[in-house]
């Protein structure tokens, strides 16, 4: 069983100890001097040996190497837009502190009715990363992970130059693990641009920028490659599969919410999680170089909704489903009756009443293979397509009923949150949409 860790930043107590250990491990190297008064070199025929001191100090060579590369140029384009995000929460009063209740009560009275941006009574709970993607008038907008801001009573954004700005949380989406923070644009000079994550190639360079272990290491840069695209990752908190970019660029706690960029300096993903260990029957195995980012095309769709509404409203078909690949060949032949040429798709196991799927005529055991001419190979594919749609949109579904291929136009009239409230039953081997 894989243990996937969201790379949320840790608190200050841990960082202070870590920094102490790191500083203690540094070796300070002083300057070296070379004496030139030895007799290692042959002398002249004059029998008198000269003791003249011709010592010279070691100097730095004036020969400079051009280290500009695709990576350095890409980092320069976006680094100024990368920020640290500090999650502020109310301090827990200690029962052992005889002054806690008294001062806590006084503070509550003093701050009652004060501006919501006043973070004086809050303490740092954790840190993550983020990237400024938009500047509009008096405001600028930062995208980060939902788990970075989760549980916050206040937010602070640390700019590239160390300036701290109070942040306002506009909206979050637990399914895609994204959040949008609004800050004053006064100190914002640079914004990042999004690249096309659908155009990514496995093996192309990938660069992660963020604040691993907190803002003490802000704007740390690691590089690697795109290891895989469209990697289905199950979010343990929501039970929903999302399609992610896999990279071997080092991603550590605190990198969450920071950008994954391409060689052109464009944001192609928002770093979200990594696999640290995987379990076998006999032991746990440490894993390196398996980080995951939310694709930029999905990010743009979500943050536009979060800016406008503070939440994401998703349409639903009203079906329960499983991957065709998980159905045995015998069941495919005897129950589904699909042609042997159909190797992948989504099997409808149940259609909820009065839903878009039922109104369009879809039935149990239909096998969906395309949505709007896009190949559907798994439930993740179908979810990903629906996540790009809005309630009120229409889609064309291609499916097999037995050995016949058919199409149906479906009007997406139901909000998935409403449908999920009505459908409280859900098995471990099937998803609903």
């Amino acid at each position: 069983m894989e243990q996937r860790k969201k790379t949320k930043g840790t608190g200050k107590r841990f960082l202070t100890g870590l920094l102490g250990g790191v500083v203690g491990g540094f070796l300070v190297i002083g300057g070296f001097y070379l004496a030139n008064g030895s007799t290692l070199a042959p002398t002249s025929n004059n029998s008198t040996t000269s003791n003249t001191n011709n010592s010279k100090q070691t100097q730095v060579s004036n020969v400079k190497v051009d280290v500009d590369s695709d990576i350095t140029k890409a980092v320069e384009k976006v680094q100024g837009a990368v920020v640290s995000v500090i999650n502020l929460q109310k301090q827990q009063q200690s029962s052992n502190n005889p002054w806690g209740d008294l001062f806590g009560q006084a503070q509550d009275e003093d701050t009652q009715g004060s501006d919501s941006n006043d973070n004086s009574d809050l303490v740092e709970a954790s840190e993550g990363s983020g990237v400024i993607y938009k500047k509009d008038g008096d405001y600028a907008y930062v995208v980060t992970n939902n788990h970075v801001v989760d549980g916050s009573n206040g937010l602070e954004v640390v700019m590239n130059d160390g300036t701290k700005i109070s942040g306002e949380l506009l909206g979050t989406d637990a399914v895609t693990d994204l959040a949008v923070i609004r800050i004053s644009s006064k100190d914002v000079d640079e914004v990042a641009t999004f690249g096309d994550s659908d155009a990514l190639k496995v093996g192309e360079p990938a660069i992660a920028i963020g604040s691993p272990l907190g803002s003490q290491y802000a704007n740390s840069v690691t590089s690697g490659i795109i290891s895989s695209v469209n990697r289905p990752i199950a979010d343990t908190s929501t039970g929903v599969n999302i399609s992610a970019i896999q990279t071997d660029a080092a991603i550590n706690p605190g990198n969450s919410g920071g950008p994954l960029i391409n060689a052109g300096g464009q944001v192609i993903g928002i770093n979200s999680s990594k696999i640290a260990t995987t379990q076998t029957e006999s032991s746990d195995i440490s894993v390196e170089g398996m980080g995951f980012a939310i694709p930029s095309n999905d990010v743009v769709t979500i943050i536009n909704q979060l800016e406008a509404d503070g939440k994401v409203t998703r349409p639903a078909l009203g079906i329960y489903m499983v991957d065709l690949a998980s159905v045995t060949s015998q069941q495919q032949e005897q129950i589904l009756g699909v042609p042997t040429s159909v190797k992948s798709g989504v099997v409808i196991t149940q259609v909820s009443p009065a839903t878009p799927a039922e109104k369009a005529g879809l039935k149990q055991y239909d096998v969906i293979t395309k949505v709007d001419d896009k190949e559907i190979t798994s439930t993740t594919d179908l979810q990903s397509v629906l996540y790009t749609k809005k309630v009120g949109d229409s889609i064309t579904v291609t499916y097999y009923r037995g050995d016949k291929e058919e199409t149906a136009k479906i009007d997406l009239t139901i909000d998935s949150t409403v449908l999920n409230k009505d459908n409280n039953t859900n098995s471990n081997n099937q998803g609903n949409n």
Side-chain angles (χ1 to χ4, degrees):
M1 177 180 180
E2 292 178 341
Q3 299 295 318
R4 189 168 63 90
K5 295 184 178 180
K6 291 180 176 178
T7 53
K8 187 173 182 177
T10 55
K12 282 197 170 186
R13 184 177 299 174
F14 167 74
L15 287 174
T16 303
L18 175 64
L19 288 173
V22 173
V23 172
F26 284 152
L27 176 63
V28 178
I29 303 176
F32 291 95
Y33 295 88
L34 300 180
N36 198 22
S38 66
T39 57
L40 294 178
T43 61
S44 64
N45 290 331
N46 191 333
S47 60
T48 303
T49 302
S50 175
N51 290 323
T52 303
N53 187 356
N54 295 323
S55 297
K56 295 181 179 180
Q57 290 184 339
T58 301
Q59 297 179 346
V60 175
S61 170
N62 60 3
V63 178
K64 296 182 179 180
V65 179
D66 183 5
V67 294
D68 282 344
S69 66
D70 288 343
I71 290 179
T72 59
K73 292 176 182 177
V75 170
E76 288 173 357
K77 289 182 179 180
V78 72
Q79 196 167 32
V82 180
V83 299
S84 297
V85 177
I86 301 178
N87 182 319
L88 300 173
Q89 297 183 13
K90 293 181 179 179
Q91 187 172 14
Q92 298 296 320
Q93 297 291 342
S94 172
S95 59
N96 296 326
N97 181 3
W99 306 103
D101 292 339
L102 176 61
F103 288 126
Q105 182 179 3
Q107 186 179 51
D108 288 341
E109 291 174 351
D110 290 342
T111 58
Q112 187 174 8
S114 62
D115 190 283
S116 60
N117 290 328
D118 181 8
N119 297 329
S120 60
D121 62 334
L122 305 178
V123 295
E124 178 181 328
S126 61
E127 290 189 40
S129 303
V131 60
I132 303 170
Y133 65 89
K134 179 180 176 180
K135 183 177 180 180
D136 185 13
D138 294 333
Y139 297 105
Y141 299 83
V142 177
V143 59
T144 185
N145 285 145
N146 173 64
H147 74 264
V148 169
V149 303
D150 189 36
S152 66
N153 300 115
L155 294 169
E156 211 165 47
V157 174
V158 185
M159 306 296 287
N160 178 261
D161 62 359
T163 302
K164 291 185 177 181
I165 304 175
S166 180
E168 175 191 359
L169 185 61
L170 287 188
T172 63
D173 181 49
V175 173
T176 55
D177 194 22
L178 291 171
V180 171
I181 303 169
R182 187 169 68 178
I183 61 175
S184 168
S185 62
K186 179 181 177 181
D187 298 302
V188 175
D189 297 320
E190 298 182 36
V191 297
T193 58
F194 290 103
D196 184 0
S197 57
D198 287 344
L200 292 176
K201 295 181 179 179
V202 173
E204 74 169 271
I207 307 161
I209 310 179
S211 305
L213 303 182
S215 55
Q216 288 88 342
Y217 298 98
N219 273 272
S220 292
V221 178
T222 57
S223 67
I225 61 171
I226 299 296
S227 303
S228 180
V229 295
N230 299 323
R231 183 71 78 189
I233 297 296
D235 189 301
T236 55
S237 62
T238 63
V240 175
N241 284 341
I242 63 172
S243 181
I245 299 168
Q246 182 184 334
T247 179
D248 67 345
I251 295 176
N252 293 290
N255 274 118
S256 280
L260 186 70
I261 66 175
N262 59 17
Q266 298 172 316
V267 178
I268 53 174
I270 297 299
N271 299 318
S272 178
S273 60
K274 66 180 291 185
I275 295 177
T277 60
T278 184
Q279 294 180 342
T280 65
E281 293 182 359
S282 58
S283 64
D284 290 348
I285 300 175
S286 296
V287 177
E288 295 292 340
M290 293 190 69
F292 300 91
I294 307 158
S296 56
N297 289 17
D298 295 340
V299 172
V300 170
T301 300
I302 298 302
I303 61 178
N304 283 334
Q305 294 185 61
L306 294 180
E307 277 186 47
D309 305 320
K311 64 178 182 178
V312 177
T313 301
R314 293 185 173 88
L317 289 176
I319 62 173
Y320 286 84
M321 56 191 177
V322 297
D323 292 347
L324 179 63
S326 66
V327 179
T328 66
S329 56
Q330 183 178 9
Q331 290 173 328
Q332 290 184 30
E333 180 181 354
Q334 296 181 357
I335 299 176
L336 303 180
V338 295
T340 55
S341 59
V342 180
K343 303 296 184 182
S344 60
V346 170
V347 182
I348 298 176
T349 59
Q350 180 183 336
V351 179
S352 299
T355 59
E358 186 191 52
K359 293 176 181 178
L362 294 182
K363 296 182 179 180
Q364 185 183 44
Y365 301 143
D366 287 347
V367 179
I368 299 174
T369 56
K370 292 181 183 179
V371 173
D372 290 340
D373 292 326
K374 183 173 183 178
E375 296 287 341
I376 301 297
T377 62
S378 64
T379 56
T380 301
D381 286 347
L382 184 55
Q383 288 170 337
S384 296
V385 172
L386 288 178
Y387 289 170
T388 65
K389 304 295 181 180
K390 298 178 182 178
V391 175
D393 288 349
S394 296
I395 59 174
T396 300
V397 173
T398 301
Y399 64 96
Y400 277 89
R401 178 169 295 166
D403 60 355
K404 293 182 178 180
E405 185 181 55
E406 301 185 24
T407 61
K409 183 178 179 181
I410 302 179
D411 295 325
L412 302 173
T413 57
I414 293 182
D415 182 347
S416 62
T417 56
V418 175
L419 181 65
N420 289 336
K421 288 180 181 178
D422 295 335
N423 294 297
N424 293 322
T425 58
N426 193 6
S427 65
N428 293 327
N429 65 342
Q430 65 180 15
N432 63 327
N433 247 309

